[in-house]
Amino acid sequence: LSYRVTGKIGRTSVKPGSRLVSDVILDFDLKEHAHSFLGRVGDNVEIISELIIPPVNGRLTLGTTLGRTDVSFQSTIEHISLDAIAVHALLATLNRSEIGELVTSIQHTSSSLLHRHKPKVPPTKTISKPAPPPNILLFDGYVTLVGLAIRTNTAKTLQKASSSQLHFELGHVHIKGNNRETRDGPPLSFPEFFINLRGMQVYLAKALNGKKTACGDLTLGATLHATSKRNERQELARAYQLRSSQCQICIHTETASVVLEVLGHLRESFKDIDMTNEVKGLQKLRRATLADLGTHVPSKPSKTKEEEPTALFGAMYSLEMVDPRMIWK
């Protein structure tokens, strides 16, 4: 099993910032590129799975001062078009034993190199020093996704000459997040996030003898704002505001049967994937990375049964739907 990255152009630049001496600005620009996993079948090398990534560009700014880390990120991602079967093949490849052995080998090699090149410091008398203040992480980010399309088709069989199709289309997506009101201000108690979804559509269809027949669709446009507000007790609490500016559901007589057929096809395709080990690995990597950076991550106190629903019911929620429509055909 081998891994290959192919593309045409990739640019990056690193330069010091102007606001602080310790600021670093990283600009990157990647054109369309492909990530492929290849395997040898006999004397031939064939592509097992391939994922094509559209052009991505952005800027990352890092600034560090005593007890404070500032992170600013902006990025734009062009339209992404995926096939559910190709995604399934990629996930199945990542779940293979060869990938686990490769990750283990990289971890052992890295640990060996770090241990070998670790500087040896002669023992000295320990002098008690006051503990440094915890490192506070301040961030703000803005990501724009031009569009996303995911398609899947059920396979034709001898008993059925037709195939069902599921298309998921997503227009422009704007995501903003920050945990500070001003550039040099203190961190917020609750980070703010804003997500704007435009032109989300789920389209069901049936193909028979080269003709496509619509079997239902859902069109949605919405914005989600996660912020904080004062509740009735004048305590600061998390607030979620969801507003739908466009919601139209079109149901056909064959909608239910097509949905069940597509879901059954996806279940059969994904039932052999077990991502439990990968999720645990990512969680351990996140904790180790934060510990290496010295970032202060407050420990979560254990919750009693009486305190568990407090976070859910202690937040405020608002839902606003403008001109919702439902059509039966």
Side-chain angles (χ1 to χ4, degrees), residues 96-143:
R96 293 176 61 169
S97 59
E98 293 92 333
I99 299 297
E101 294 174 359
L102 175 62
V103 174
T104 303
S105 176
I106 293 175
Q107 290 175 345
H108 289 169
T109 304
S110 302
S111 301
S112 177
L113 290 175
L114 291 175
H115 180 74
R116 185 181 304 174
H117 296 283
K118 186 178 181 180
K120 296 182 179 180
V121 181
T124 57
K125 294 182 179 180
T126 58
I127 302 175
S128 60
K129 295 182 179 180
N135 190 19
I136 300 175
L137 176 63
L138 299 175
F139 69 88
D140 62 81
Y142 185 89
V143 177

Side-chain angles (χ1 to χ4, degrees), residues 2 18 29 71 81 120 123 138 142-143 150 154 203-204 221-222 232 241 262 265 284 289 309 325:
S2 58
S18 58
D29 183 11
V71 180
S81 181
K120 296 182 179 180
L138 299 175
Y142 185 89
V143 177
I150 301 177
T154 60
Y203 178 78
L204 293 170
E232 296 179 353
Q241 303 170 2
V262 171
H265 172 69
K284 293 179 180 178
T289 304
R325 298 181 181 180

Side-chain angles (χ1 to χ4, degrees), residues 249-253 326-329:
I249 303 175
C250 186
I251 302 176
H252 294 244
T253 54
M326 180 175 290
I327 304 172
W328 174 269
K329 290 186 179 181

Side-chain angles (χ1 to χ4, degrees), residues 38-112:
L38 300 93
R40 182 175 295 277
V41 180
D43 296 332
N44 300 325
V45 177
E46 298 181 357
I47 296 178
I48 300 176
S49 61
E50 185 176 48
L51 184 63
I52 299 177
I53 304 298
V56 180
N57 61 79
R59 166 173 288 191
L60 175 64
T61 305
L62 297 174
T64 57
T65 56
L66 182 60
R68 173 175 173 150
T69 301
D70 293 85
V71 180
S72 182
F73 180 76
Q74 298 90 31
S75 179
T76 301
I77 306 174
E78 298 295 331
H79 189 275
I80 301 177
S81 181
L82 300 174
D83 191 313
I85 302 303
V87 175
H88 162 255
L90 178 63
L91 293 177
T93 304
L94 292 175
N95 202 42
R96 293 176 61 169
S97 59
E98 293 92 333
I99 299 297
E101 294 174 359
L102 175 62
V103 174
T104 303
S105 176
I106 293 175
Q107 290 175 345
H108 289 169
T109 304
S110 302
S111 301
S112 177

Side-chain angles (χ1 to χ4, degrees), residues 8-242:
K8 294 183 178 180
I9 300 175
R11 304 185 186 95
T12 183
S13 65
V14 181
K15 58 184 179 181
S18 58
R19 191 173 66 91
L20 293 172
V21 178
S22 57
D23 275 8
V24 176
I25 299 177
L26 170 66
D27 293 319
F28 59 92
D29 183 11
L30 300 176
K31 300 303 180 184
E32 183 178 288
H33 53 287
H35 300 257
S36 307
F37 285 94
L38 300 93
R40 182 175 295 277
V41 180
D43 296 332
N44 300 325
V45 177
E46 298 181 357
I47 296 178
I48 300 176
S49 61
E50 185 176 48
L51 184 63
I52 299 177
I53 304 298
V56 180
N57 61 79
R59 166 173 288 191
L60 175 64
T61 305
L62 297 174
T64 57
T65 56
L66 182 60
R68 173 175 173 150
T69 301
D70 293 85
V71 180
S72 182
F73 180 76
Q74 298 90 31
S75 179
T76 301
I77 306 174
E78 298 295 331
H79 189 275
I80 301 177
S81 181
L82 300 174
D83 191 313
I85 302 303
V87 175
H88 162 255
L90 178 63
L91 293 177
T93 304
L94 292 175
N95 202 42
R96 293 176 61 169
S97 59
E98 293 92 333
I99 299 297
E101 294 174 359
L102 175 62
V103 174
T104 303
S105 176
I106 293 175
Q107 290 175 345
H108 289 169
T109 304
S110 302
S111 301
S112 177
L113 290 175
L114 291 175
H115 180 74
R116 185 181 304 174
H117 296 283
K118 186 178 181 180
K120 296 182 179 180
V121 181
T124 57
K125 294 182 179 180
T126 58
I127 302 175
S128 60
K129 295 182 179 180
N135 190 19
I136 300 175
L137 176 63
L138 299 175
F139 69 88
D140 62 81
Y142 185 89
V143 177
T144 299
L145 174 63
V146 176
L148 173 66
I150 301 177
R151 300 178 177 86
T152 183
N153 299 334
T154 60
K156 296 180 181 180
T157 61
L158 296 176
Q159 292 80 11
K160 294 185 63 177
S162 63
S163 64
S164 300
Q165 300 178 352
L166 170 64
H167 293 183
F168 175 81
E169 298 280 348
L170 188 59
H172 283 70
V173 180
H174 303 280
I175 303 175
K176 294 191 294 185
N178 67 84
N179 68 340
R180 55 186 170 189
E181 291 183 357
T182 60
R183 179 76 179 179
D184 300 317
L188 298 173
S189 301
F190 296 95
E192 289 193 355
F193 296 96
F194 182 82
I195 303 176
N196 187 4
L197 304 177
R198 298 181 184 177
M200 184 176 73
Q201 184 179 28
V202 180
Y203 178 78
L204 293 170
K206 260 194 172 183
L208 178 62
N209 299 327
K211 295 182 179 180
K212 186 184 294 186
T213 305
C215 297
D217 62 85
L218 167 65
T219 304
L220 180 66
T223 59
L224 173 64
H225 187 199
T227 181
S228 58
K229 289 184 178 181
R230 296 282 178 181
N231 56 20
E232 296 179 353
R233 297 187 298 271
Q234 296 303 312
E235 297 175 349
L236 198 62
R238 170 65 81 184
Y240 298 96
Q241 303 170 2
L242 178 61

Side-chain angles (χ1 to χ4, degrees), residues 67 133-137 283-301:
N135 190 19
I136 300 175
L137 176 63
Q283 292 174 347
K284 293 179 180 178
L285 178 62
R286 176 182 177 273
R287 289 193 293 266
T289 304
L290 292 175
D292 293 339
L293 292 175
T295 305
H296 176 63
V297 182
S299 59
K300 296 182 179 180

